[in-house]
Amino acid sequence: MKNKLDLKPSEKILIVLMKSSISCIFISLFFGIFGALYYIPFTATFMLKANLSLIQLRPLHTTFASAWIYLGAITTIYKYLFDSFGEPSIGTMKRFKAHMILWGLAGLGILCTLPFGITSGREYLDFHPLFSLFILLGWLLFAWNFFSHVWKKFWERPIYVYMWACGILLFIVTFLEGHAYLLPGIHHYPIVDLQIQWKSCGSLVAAFNQMVYGSLFYVGERLSQDSSIAHSKKAFFLFGIGLLNSFTNFAHHTYHLPQSHLVKWIAFSVSMLEIIILVQVYRDVVASIRNQENTEFQTSIKFIHLSKCWNLCLLFLAILISVPPLNSLIHGTHVVMAHAMGSELAIDSYILFAVFASLITELFPQKKIALQQLNSLSIQETIYWLNGFLICLVSWLLLEGLVVGYVRFFSQPVPAWWKENFSPFFVFFGVGMSVCLIHLLLKWLSLLLNGHFKENEFNEREHL
C-alpha cells in the first residue's frame, strides 16, 4: 500500500486482516485440491501410502474456508468502525493484536495437529478443544471492540450493524453449544449428541451468514451512496425472517433423528417463509441487470450481481431440501455438498470479494492504478471462468447426489460405471475453479504487497 511509515493504524489493521483472509483461502484451496485428487484411485493410492487420507484433508479444507469467511466479514466490520468512529484507540489496538495472535496460534496449531490425527472427530469442529479456547477468547476480544463502539444509540444504527451484532453473539452461543459433547451427560447419549451437534453446526453457519449479509448491505450502501436501503422496513423485515431461520435451519439435517414433530414443523414452516426472500431476490436480480452500468467499481458490482443470481438458485435448492420426502432421498449425498459449497463460495465469498475489491481501491494510494488492475480484462475473464467452473461443479455434484438418492430409493447400489465417471469430472471442475481463484487472489495480493509502486513502474511491469 502506502509507504509503511505513512500508514494509519486503521489501514494497518485492514491490510493485516485482508492478508490473513487471503492466506486462509490459499490454505483451504491447497488442501481442497489434494482432497479432490483423492477421488481418483491412482492418486489416492499414493496418498494413502504417504499416510494422507481424506479424513485428514477435508477438516483442514473446511476449517480454513470457514476462517476465510469469518475474517473477511471481520475486515468489513473494522472498516465500518474506522469510518464511523475514527482511528482505533490504544485499547482497541491492543485487543486487535491479542485476538489476531490467539487466532494465529489456533490456526497454526490446527495446521500442525490435524494431519497427525489429533482431532475431536466433530463435524466442522474437528480440531482439538484447546484451539477452540484460543478461538473463543479471541472472538470475545473482537466482540469487545465491536460493541464498545456501537452500543451507544444502538437502536438507531443501520441494518448491517444489527446483522453483525446478531452474528457475533450467535457465534459465541453456538460455538459453546458445539462443544457440549465434552460434558459427560451429553457424551454418553449419542442421539442427544447428534441433535446438539447438528443444531450447533447449522446455527454456526447462520452466524457467519448474518455477518456476510451485513457486509453486503454495507458495501451496497457505499457503492450506491444510498443510506436509506439500510434503514428501510423491507430490510428489517427480511432480516427478521433470516434471523428466525438462523435458529431453525438445522432441522433438515435432523429429520431422521427422533425429536418433537413440533420442532420439525416449525423448521419446515420457517423454511417455506424463505420463499418471500426468494421472490425479493428475484426482483433484485432483474432490477440490477436492467440498471447495470459501467462504473469504477465494476468488479465489486459484478460479484454482487453473481451472488444475487446464486442466492436465487441456492435458496430454491434449500427450500427443496427442507421438504421431508425429498430430504430423505438426498440427505447424506453430494446434493448437500453442492448446496454448502455453492453457498460458501458463490454467495458468501462473492460478497466478500466485492467488499475486498472496493477496499483495495480505497486503500491504494494510486487509485487509477488499482482500478486498472481490478477492472482489467484479465480479471474479468478470470471471474467469467471461475463462475463457469463453479456452475459445472455444483451441477455435477447435484447430479451425482440425485443419482445416489434415486438408486437408494429402490434399494439398489450405485452403478460402478457411474462411480468411475464421476471422479474425473469432479476433479477437473474443482481444480479449474481453484486455479481461477488462485489467479484472481494473486493479482489482488500483489496490490496489497506492492502498493507503493509508482504508476510508471506499474505500467512497465504490466507491459512485461
Side-chain angles (χ1 to χ4, degrees):
M1 310 314 296
K2 304 174 185 177
N3 186 294
K4 291 185 178 180
L5 297 176
D6 298 333
L7 288 175
K8 299 176 183 177
S10 59
E11 293 174 328
K12 291 180 180 179
I13 286 177
L14 293 175
I15 292 170
V16 167
L17 283 168
M18 293 175 74
K19 288 179 180 178
S20 301
S21 303
I22 293 175
S23 297
C24 286
I25 303 181
F26 281 124
I27 295 172
S28 179
L29 287 175
F30 176 80
F31 290 108
I33 290 173
F34 271 97
L37 293 176
Y38 195 83
Y39 279 84
I40 299 178
F42 176 76
T43 53
T45 302
F46 287 97
M47 293 169 71
L48 284 173
K49 289 181 179 178
N51 294 319
L52 195 62
S53 69
L54 192 61
I55 298 174
Q56 298 165 299
L57 295 171
R58 184 179 179 275
L60 287 164
H61 170 65
T62 56
T63 296
F64 284 94
S66 299
W68 138 246
I69 295 174
Y70 277 117
L71 284 173
I74 289 169
T75 304
T76 315
I77 293 171
Y78 270 111
K79 173 62 176 172
Y80 163 77
L81 294 178
F82 300 146
D83 286 345
S84 302
F85 303 98
E87 290 297 308
S89 64
I90 295 176
T92 299
M93 285 293 295
K94 287 182 178 179
R95 287 187 290 272
F96 169 77
K97 291 178 181 178
H99 75 59
M100 290 304 292
I101 290 172
L102 285 167
W103 290 342
L105 289 174
L108 183 61
I110 292 168
L111 198 58
C112 294
T113 56
L114 275 179
F116 294 98
I118 302 175
T119 173
S120 67
R122 317 299 292 186
E123 185 77 8
Y124 298 115
L125 296 172
D126 308 77
F127 39 84
H128 193 277
L130 175 63
F131 304 124
S132 298
L133 180 62
F134 290 170
I135 294 171
L136 181 61
L137 290 175
W139 194 268
L140 291 173
L141 291 172
F142 161 62
W144 186 348
N145 276 349
F146 176 75
F147 286 106
S148 65
H149 286 87
V150 304
W151 72 273
K152 290 183 178 179
K153 299 182 179 179
F154 180 81
W155 304 113
E156 299 175 13
R157 302 287 179 193
I159 188 65
Y160 44 80
V161 174
Y162 287 74
M163 290 181 164
W164 291 333
C166 289
I168 291 170
L169 294 176
L170 190 59
F171 175 89
I172 296 172
V173 174
T174 56
F175 194 71
L176 289 171
E177 191 177 41
H179 291 81
Y181 69 93
L182 297 172
L183 301 173
I186 303 298
H187 182 69
H188 294 113
Y189 295 92
I191 293 178
V192 174
D193 190 2
L194 277 175
Q195 290 173 335
I196 295 176
Q197 179 182 355
W198 282 109
K199 179 185 179 300
S200 63
C201 286
S203 297
L204 200 60
V205 171
F208 71 56
N209 281 341
Q210 286 289 335
M211 296 173 68
V212 170
Y213 294 157
S215 301
L216 175 60
F217 270 101
Y218 177 66
V219 73
E221 179 184 270
R222 292 177 63 82
L223 294 179
S224 66
Q225 299 296 314
D226 183 5
S227 60
S228 64
I229 298 174
H231 292 273
S232 66
K233 292 181 179 179
K234 183 178 74 173
F236 279 90
F237 175 68
L238 295 177
F239 162 65
I241 295 177
L243 183 61
L244 181 61
N245 188 56
S246 297
F247 296 101
T248 62
N249 66 355
F250 70 92
H252 67 259
H253 288 294
T254 59
Y255 281 156
H256 58 290
L257 295 177
Q259 61 183 1
S260 170
H261 286 289
L262 179 61
V263 172
K264 297 179 181 180
W265 275 109
I266 290 174
F268 174 74
S269 300
V270 173
S271 295
M272 293 305 102
L273 279 176
E274 287 191 307
I275 295 175
I276 299 173
I277 303 178
L278 179 66
V279 173
Q280 185 58 49
V281 169
Y282 175 75
R283 292 177 61 185
D284 288 343
V285 170
V286 173
S288 66
I289 293 174
R290 289 175 179 172
N291 299 326
Q292 186 173 3
E293 296 178 358
N294 292 323
T295 72
E296 61 182 16
F297 296 104
Q298 180 181 349
T299 298
S300 293
I301 292 175
K302 181 181 287 293
F303 274 121
I304 291 175
H305 287 340
L306 289 174
S307 71
K308 286 181 177 180
C309 295
W310 275 100
N311 203 356
L312 179 69
C313 298
L314 293 172
L315 186 54
F316 178 70
L317 178 59
I319 291 170
L320 292 179
I321 290 175
S322 299
V323 178
L326 297 177
N327 182 276
S328 65
L329 290 176
I330 58 85
H331 194 272
T333 70
H334 281 88
V335 170
V336 179
M337 182 179 176
H339 180 261
M341 181 172 288
S343 297
E344 287 194 14
L345 185 56
I347 298 178
D348 295 329
S349 293
Y350 277 10
I351 290 171
L352 294 175
F353 288 157
V355 174
F356 275 36
S358 64
L359 284 182
I360 291 174
T361 304
E362 290 186 39
L363 291 170
F364 202 86
Q366 297 287 343
K367 187 174 182 179
K368 181 180 178 181
I369 300 174
L371 289 173
Q372 284 178 355
Q373 183 152 336
L374 286 170
N375 298 327
S376 65
L377 180 61
S378 174
I379 291 292
Q380 301 307 311
E381 290 178 346
T382 300
I383 296 173
Y384 172 82
W385 282 104
L386 168 64
N387 200 57
F389 277 119
L390 185 57
I391 291 172
C392 293
L393 180 63
V394 171
S395 300
W396 192 249
L397 288 171
L398 284 174
L399 179 61
E400 201 278 342
L402 291 173
V403 169
V404 172
Y406 177 81
V407 297
R408 187 166 64 184
F409 178 77
F410 291 101
S411 301
Q412 298 294 323
V414 180
W417 63 268
W418 174 256
K419 289 182 178 179
E420 294 172 358
N421 287 285
F422 165 74
S423 298
F425 286 98
F426 172 70
V427 174
F428 175 75
F429 296 142
V431 172
M433 183 190 69
S434 299
V435 169
C436 292
L437 263 178
I438 291 170
H439 180 261
L440 176 71
L441 295 172
L442 285 176
K443 287 280 189 178
W444 288 8
L445 199 60
S446 68
L447 285 173
L448 288 171
L449 296 176
N450 305 311
H452 59 278
F453 284 169
K454 295 179 182 179
E455 185 169 354
N456 59 340
E457 292 175 338
F458 178 86
N459 289 334
E460 288 174 4
R461 288 171 180 262
E462 284 293 291
H463 180 70
L464 293 174

